[in-house]
Amino acid sequence: MARTPRPVYTNHDKRTTLDDLAARVADGALVAVGGGLSSREPMALLRAMLRHGVKGLTVVGSAHGIDIDLLSGGGAISRSSESYVGFEQDFGMAPNYRRALESGIVSVDDSCCYTLVQQLRAAIQGLPFMPVRSVRGTSFLSLHPEYRQMVCPFTGEELLLVPAIEPDVALVHAQYGDAQGNLLIQGPPVADIMFAKASRAVLATVEEIVPTERLSELGGVTIPYFYVTAVSEVPFGAHPTACYPLYAYDRRHTALYYEAARKGAGTFSVEYLSVFVHGVPDHADYLARIGGEKTRARLSSWCDGPEAWKRLYLDEAVA
Amino acid sequence: MTTGCTLGEMMIATLARTIEDGTLVFHGFGSPLIQLAMHVAKRTHAPRMVLVAGATYGVNPEPPFLAPTTNDWVMDRGASSSLAIGELFDLAAAGRMGRMFLSGLQIDRWGNCNVTALGYPNITLKLPGGGGGCNLSCDAAYVTLWTTAHRSPEDAKGQRRFRLVEDCDFITNLGHRTRDGRTAKELGHRGNGPQWLVTELGLFDFDAEGKARLIAVYPDTSIDEVLENTGFTPGLAAQVETIPAPERSVVELIRRLDPLKVHEKEIRAEDMRRGYAIA
């Protein structure tokens, strides 16, 4: 049975507060978190959601790291349909995510990137499923009894049918937006455009809200406003992930995060959550807590040239 | 003057040699050895290769240095264009991706890889997940597998936890044959599956049946050492060769590409001591 069509959002002014965005994510929602790995994750929004005490989320995505690990450590997730959650070879496996999935608190519903792409495409096109040729023969079929096999009526080939995924909400952090909700993403959009088109609602944070004409000058709109439900200006809203060209990935903060997470759930709660999430009433306090202007200056130094950029990634710079 | 190279550099050069010129090649995340192998190939024997960077999907980038994370603007500097996520995977599904590099915490004789979980369905260790590897293992024309953790020393109880295993607990990436004996070809997949497996102990190809076969070892490893550290009995080439050291220019190129030595994070501490003379 097809759900009602996704709405188009036509309000002229969708500006709101970060807390209001966070409050719109319902317990139990199917959530697509934008960005990828160490880049443009909507981290301020995720922290605000944890302060609101959101529970029981199912998360879908391609390549993720600290975002899903933080939601796992904060007790917000009950099912993970991600394709990858980790800190690559740099720090290693995601500690909170691992604990949550190994303990059974979060059920394992892993997917893979192209399967997800096809499932989002089905939703975007208003179709119930899409076919893929791959995946057959792997263990993903035992993990996903909802997949179906068919013989192509045209060629006789065996294909796998994967059902549409229509997230309840996509959470996106972009460099720029306007009051109406037009979003401009600079650099790799990862799956954000597909997430925005496939989801019932899009909640966006942006580094800066600018007039619509300015968006054209800056490169044009990546996600048109009518997909977007609400937008909030949250400078440094992706920290500690990168939001180039404004700031690079904060590897030093990530090292601090990882060390707290690695030591166990209790330590993570005391050393990280209660300091950087629950211990700060709002984003302004978070910015002060991470070092304010000094940190902003350090992370924007990447644009001084390759040597300055490199310095941000030296192991010595992490300590 | 550079007179020697490390194991990491030896592996990068070996991985680079698996890339053909004029093909579209992709890598995933968390794999600096592969990123470097692709950049080495592009700048040496495969100038017409279409190098698509993992995570950023930048085409033919020239990063000023290798960053410790894949989705960083460092990694797509100089790219002539960028692909959308769907576009990259469509290329593979349509049979236009020449090679993909894949790995796993478990790899079996058929080249199946587990990057999902140990102990499945009663999970004892949740791994990060395979990204798009599952799809690409079926769709890419050829796959090069690699691991830097083939060696599996005995623990206190005399047990070995093999990386190269008899059976994967979960098949994330498909090799030549599934658990129930169907071949990837019978399943109608586009790709020809794993062609090479490069480890820190040796180099394997896959025989006509699709089974891993040892064809070369390093100057400082032996056939016995490979067999001892492998959970299945691999085939052996009639003549097991010695993996050649890279040319000096290649070693110097790797050092220019990776001044932060990011790739050493992939190499185990005990393997950091290994070194080879170069001509």
Side-chain angles (χ1 to χ4, degrees):
Chain A
M1 191 66 175
R3 292 172 79 178
T4 53
R6 292 182 294 280
V8 289
Y9 295 97
T10 57
N11 289 351
H12 288 296
D13 190 350
K14 295 173 185 157
R15 287 173 296 177
T16 188
T17 62
L18 180 61
D19 271 344
D20 176 57
L21 287 187
R24 290 175 188 232
V25 181
D27 287 351
L30 176 60
V31 177
V33 180
L37 298 172
S38 64
S39 197
R40 228 175 20 71
E41 299 286 0
M43 296 302 295
L45 179 50
L46 302 183
R47 286 186 291 266
M49 284 159 53
L50 291 180
R51 285 194 287 271
H52 271 264
V54 70
K55 297 273 180 240
L57 305 177
T58 294
V59 287
V60 296
S62 56
H64 291 265
I66 194 168
D67 53 341
I68 303 302
D69 193 71
L70 177 68
L71 289 179
S72 303
I77 302 179
S78 67
R79 189 173 194 82
S80 170
S81 309
E82 298 288 338
S83 308
Y84 173 92
V85 180
F87 293 79
E88 304 185 77
Q89 81 290 335
D90 198 28
F91 296 107
M93 293 197 262
N96 290 308
Y97 169 81
R98 266 192 63 190
R99 273 193 292 273
L101 275 72
E102 288 169 11
S103 71
I105 291 170
V106 173
S107 43
V108 176
D109 191 42
D110 280 36
S111 189
C112 18
C113 297
Y114 195 49
T115 309
L116 173 69
V117 162
Q118 290 295 72
Q119 293 182 284
L120 294 169
R121 278 177 170 161
I124 291 167
Q125 295 171 29
L127 292 169
F129 66 84
M130 285 290 274
V132 293
R133 193 182 281 105
S134 55
V135 185
R136 291 168 306 116
T138 72
S139 303
F140 283 100
L141 271 64
S142 73
L143 202 53
H144 291 277
E146 74 275 20
Y147 296 170
R148 295 282 185 272
Q149 304 203 40
M150 74 168 290
V151 173
C152 171
F154 300 102
T155 63
E157 281 175 281
E158 206 179 285
L159 297 170
L160 191 71
L161 309 183
V162 294
I165 288 183
E166 183 187 63
D168 294 311
V169 59
L171 311 176
V172 172
H173 183 77
Q175 283 88 351
Y176 300 101
D178 66 12
Q180 206 177 7
N182 284 301
L183 303 178
L184 165 55
I185 293 172
Q186 294 178 329
V190 198
D192 292 24
I193 301 170
M194 301 195 81
F195 283 154
K197 292 178 178 176
S199 298
R200 296 195 76 80
V202 177
L203 303 176
T205 53
V206 297
E207 292 292 324
E208 190 183 352
I209 291 180
V210 298
T212 309
E213 312 79 74
R214 180 76 185 127
L215 288 182
S216 310
E217 293 164 17
L218 286 163
V221 170
T222 316
I223 297 174
Y225 72 94
F226 58 84
Y227 291 114
V228 177
T229 317
V231 60
S232 181
E233 184 176 85
V234 185
F236 244 62
H239 184 271
T241 68
C243 189
Y244 289 107
L246 299 146
Y247 49 94
Y249 162 55
D250 194 343
R251 188 162 176 261
R252 183 189 294 176
H253 184 94
T254 306
L256 175 156
Y257 172 99
Y258 195 86
E259 186 55 21
R262 196 184 56 76
K263 287 191 218 152
T267 309
F268 182 70
S269 180
V270 173
E271 291 185 3
Y272 196 87
L273 288 177
S274 61
V275 178
F276 295 102
V277 180
H278 301 298
V280 285
D282 59 26
H283 186 60
D285 284 284
Y286 173 83
L287 293 182
R289 185 64 55 92
I290 60 161
E293 177 54 29
K294 208 174 146 196
T295 296
R296 199 202 59 76
R298 175 169 62 86
L299 297 176
S300 60
S301 69
W302 74 273
C303 55
D304 297 341
E307 288 309 312
W309 207 351
K310 228 186 289 182
R311 273 198 296 277
L312 290 173
Y313 295 131
L314 291 174
D315 279 334
E316 301 87 275
V318 164
Chain B
M1 196 168 75
T2 312
T3 56
C5 78
T6 63
L7 170 72
E9 288 158 350
M10 194 78 161
M11 288 186 73
I12 291 163
T14 308
L15 289 158
R17 285 193 284 266
T18 74
I19 295 172
E20 300 90 347
D21 196 12
T23 58
L24 187 147
V25 184
F26 183 61
H27 67 77
F29 8 88
S31 40
L33 291 179
I34 305 306
Q35 291 172 295
L36 291 167
M38 284 167 61
H39 283 286
V40 164
K42 178 89 182 156
R43 286 161 179 75
T44 55
H45 68 273
R48 294 185 308 117
M49 154 198 190
V50 182
L51 189 166
V52 185
T56 65
Y57 306 110
V59 176
N60 298 332
E62 295 192 3
F65 59 94
L66 204 70
T69 72
T70 318
N71 194 355
D72 193 298
W73 277 26
V74 172
M75 297 315 301
D76 72 348
R77 293 302 86 184
S80 53
S81 61
S82 289
L83 307 182
I85 181 171
E87 185 177 11
L88 180 277
F89 286 98
D90 285 344
L91 283 163
R96 303 177 81 175
M97 181 182 287
R99 187 169 301 273
M100 175 65 191
F101 292 84
L102 295 169
S103 186
L105 201 79
Q106 295 179 320
I107 302 172
D108 73 14
R109 73 179 77 226
W110 307 106
N112 294 302
C113 301
N114 178 10
V115 207
T116 302
L118 295 189
Y120 179 83
N122 303 307
I123 294 174
T124 53
L125 174 62
K126 178 68 186 81
L127 302 168
C134 167
N135 308 114
L136 298 175
S137 67
C138 302
D139 288 340
Y142 291 99
V143 172
T144 300
L145 300 175
W146 93 102
T147 175
T148 52
H150 182 168
R151 187 182 282 111
S152 33
E154 290 183 357
D155 64 17
K157 292 179 196 155
Q159 309 266 324
R160 290 176 190 269
R161 188 150 98 179
F162 291 114
R163 175 72 52 128
L164 268 56
V165 294
E166 184 65 40
D167 276 307
C168 292
D169 297 354
F170 185 99
I171 297 179
T172 313
N173 307 328
L174 187 63
H176 289 289
R177 190 179 285 231
T178 66
R179 198 170 281 154
D180 60 13
R182 286 184 82 186
T183 67
K185 277 285 162 228
E186 284 162 7
L187 285 162
H189 288 310
R190 282 204 184 274
N192 298 295
Q195 188 180 25
W196 308 103
L197 165 59
V198 180
T199 84
E200 86 281 18
L201 299 182
L203 170 65
F204 299 80
D205 67 2
F206 290 83
D207 65 20
E209 261 192 288
K211 286 192 299 219
R213 186 179 73 139
L214 182 69
I215 60 167
V217 291
Y218 293 90
D220 58 348
T221 59
S222 65
I223 297 174
D224 283 347
E225 195 176 2
V226 169
L227 298 179
E228 195 172 289
N229 286 284
T230 305
F232 55 84
T233 307
L236 289 180
Q239 180 72 47
V240 174
E241 309 281 345
T242 301
I243 298 171
E247 289 170 31
R248 176 175 296 107
S249 60
V250 168
V251 176
E252 288 169 351
L253 173 59
I254 294 168
R255 291 178 189 181
R256 278 199 304 278
L257 290 167
D258 188 18
L260 297 178
K261 299 184 175 10
V262 165
H263 77 269
E264 292 184 355
K265 280 256 163 75
E266 261 196 273
I267 308 290
R268 286 177 168 175
E270 63 267 34
D271 289 318
M272 291 296 294
R273 293 188 292 269
R274 293 167 61 182
Y276 310 92
I278 56 174

